[in-house]
Amino acid sequence: MATGQKLMRAIRVFEFGGPEVLKLQSDVVVPVPQSHQVLIKVHACGVNPVETYIRSGAYSRKPALPYTPGSDVAGIIESVGDKVSAFKKGDRVFCYSTVSGGYAEFALAADDTIYPLPETLNFRQGAALGIPYFTACRALFHSARARAGESVLVHGASGGVGLATCQIARAHGLKVLGTAGSEEGKKLVLQNGAHEVFNHKEANYIDKIKMSVGDKDKRVDVIIEMLANENLSNDLKLLSHGGRVVVVGCRGPIEINPRDTMAKETSIIGVSLSSSTKEEFQQFAGLLQAGIEKGWVKPVIGSEYPLEKAAQAHEDIIHGSGKTGKMILLL
């Protein structure tokens, strides 16, 4: 990666650890795009839970130190590599992956990971599109193979991925149930596609879901699970025959009884957005483009932080209660 002499502010991580290892530096050299790369002037960058796992050193893939976190960037193209033809300086774009890191004033991205950002969405919303909506698409259609007429429970629906899943599932003809941890969260989930919503902090909420779906033999077809280490055992008891639990988020181990999968021939499926092929990403992007045009893709923004508060954002995304919407850094 060639570099110029222009400097920028960026978060740098020199060692794995807690949020305190996120260091703001103001003398980071602005990278220069090569070949099929573009340089984006970052206006907003999404914060995702996986970035906290990577920072802590607990994730399966560890970046070389030092590095700048962040993937979900929205902004304006500053310059392009000599083999880029689909984009030009001044274009509004969003991306789901960066080469140099998104917690920075400028970010490099490969030209096949960026997409035009329509004028109908602002940069905050653009920074909430990539990983949340692409993950929701992969979970629903690639992993769960959800179909119109089926029911889906979004277990933890008030965050960025959860709300995206509700919007997409409702638009594709599924019956959508959601959970949230606050009254504000429940209201937001209903506003974004859920037919019914339950408070997962109530002791008897699983019973309420069972009562809602009625017939014990026709329960929930698909569960999109955001916290499997707490919910997976209950999920298996909520599934209909042939039902599928798709694990989007998990923060530790859980004990389950495999017998719960046998009588109803249910499945537990993990999802990893990074396993998607280029063709699959193009499919997800096409679906989102249609949703933006029709108005049902409406990213909901939650907490906003300036770049220098990145450590606080990492603290809050893991330990904050009843989070609603997509957490973003503003630049």
Side-chain angles (χ1 to χ4, degrees):
M1 186 182 357
T3 57
Q5 294 307 304
K6 188 177 179 182
L7 302 180
M8 66 176 180
R9 294 188 310 141
I11 296 294
R12 300 291 280 166
V13 175
F14 292 89
E15 60 179 328
F16 297 114
E20 69 279 358
V21 304
L22 298 172
K23 304 295 186 184
L24 178 65
Q25 296 198 314
S26 57
D27 59 351
V28 179
V29 175
V30 176
V32 174
Q34 304 298 300
S35 184
H36 287 283
Q37 295 176 337
V38 303
L39 181 69
I40 302 169
K41 173 72 175 73
V42 179
H43 285 245
C45 181
V47 179
N48 295 292
V50 68
E51 289 148 21
T52 71
Y53 311 149
I54 295 170
R55 182 216 69 227
S56 71
Y59 199 60
S60 56
R61 298 191 310 276
K62 292 184 179 67
L65 296 170
Y67 78 98
T68 294
S71 300
D72 279 332
V73 159
I76 296 175
I77 292 182
E78 180 77 8
S79 57
V80 301
D82 57 8
K83 293 186 179 178
V84 174
S85 59
F87 299 95
K88 64 183 186 305
K89 178 179 171 66
D91 286 349
R92 299 171 86 252
V93 295
F94 73 94
C95 69
Y96 65 84
S97 177
T98 65
V99 176
S100 60
Y103 295 11
E105 291 179 318
F106 293 90
L108 271 187
D111 64 356
D112 60 358
T113 65
I114 67 173
Y115 302 92
L117 179 64
E119 293 288 345
T120 51
L121 298 181
N122 61 38
F123 290 117
R124 290 172 170 85
Q125 292 173 306
L129 281 174
I131 287 180
Y133 279 83
F134 286 179
T135 298
C137 287
R138 186 167 183 83
L140 277 171
F141 302 122
H142 179 274
S143 301
R145 304 196 182 282
R147 300 181 297 275
E150 289 191 313
S151 57
V152 58
L153 170 65
V154 185
H155 213 159
S158 62
V161 178
L163 291 171
T165 305
C166 289
Q167 292 173 8
I168 295 168
R170 181 64 178 259
H172 285 79
L174 283 88
K175 180 181 179 182
V176 183
L177 310 176
T179 77
S182 67
E183 287 306 309
E184 178 194 3
K186 287 175 63 179
K187 183 178 178 182
L188 197 59
V189 172
L190 281 174
Q191 290 171 343
N192 284 277
H195 293 86
E196 290 186 78
V197 64
F198 306 86
N199 188 333
H200 54 226
K201 292 188 176 178
E202 292 180 0
N204 64 338
Y205 84 98
I206 295 292
D207 292 330
K208 289 185 176 181
I209 295 174
K210 289 178 180 178
M211 288 176 60
S212 171
V213 296
D215 185 352
K216 69 177 182 179
D217 293 321
K218 186 71 178 92
R219 287 191 169 162
V220 180
D221 297 306
V222 174
I223 299 177
I224 306 298
E225 180 53 65
M226 307 301 171
L227 197 60
N229 54 293
E230 288 192 11
N231 300 324
L232 186 57
S233 183
N234 280 329
D235 289 342
L236 294 176
K237 298 176 177 67
L238 285 171
L239 288 174
S240 62
H241 189 89
R244 295 84 77 196
V245 180
V246 177
V247 178
V248 172
C250 184
R251 297 179 186 173
I254 184 174
E255 183 174 318
I256 65 167
N257 184 350
R259 187 180 294 275
D260 291 335
T261 69
M262 294 168 63
K264 292 186 285 186
E265 296 188 320
T266 55
S267 305
I268 303 167
I269 307 164
V271 63
S272 173
L273 182 61
S274 61
S275 297
S276 304
T277 64
K278 288 184 179 181
E279 291 74 21
E280 287 167 343
F281 274 118
Q282 289 299 327
Q283 292 168 11
F284 303 155
L287 186 149
L288 292 193
Q289 192 67 41
I292 292 169
E293 291 172 0
K294 293 179 179 178
W296 55 258
V297 167
K298 298 174 291 186
V300 177
I301 305 307
S303 304
E304 301 177 0
Y305 301 79
L307 186 61
E308 59 267 24
K309 297 288 188 181
Q312 187 63 53
H314 271 218
E315 183 73 25
D316 293 348
I317 200 168
I318 296 300
H319 299 295
S321 60
K323 59 179 178 289
T324 56
K326 174 67 176 178
M327 183 179 288
I328 60 170
L329 299 176
L330 292 175
L331 290 98

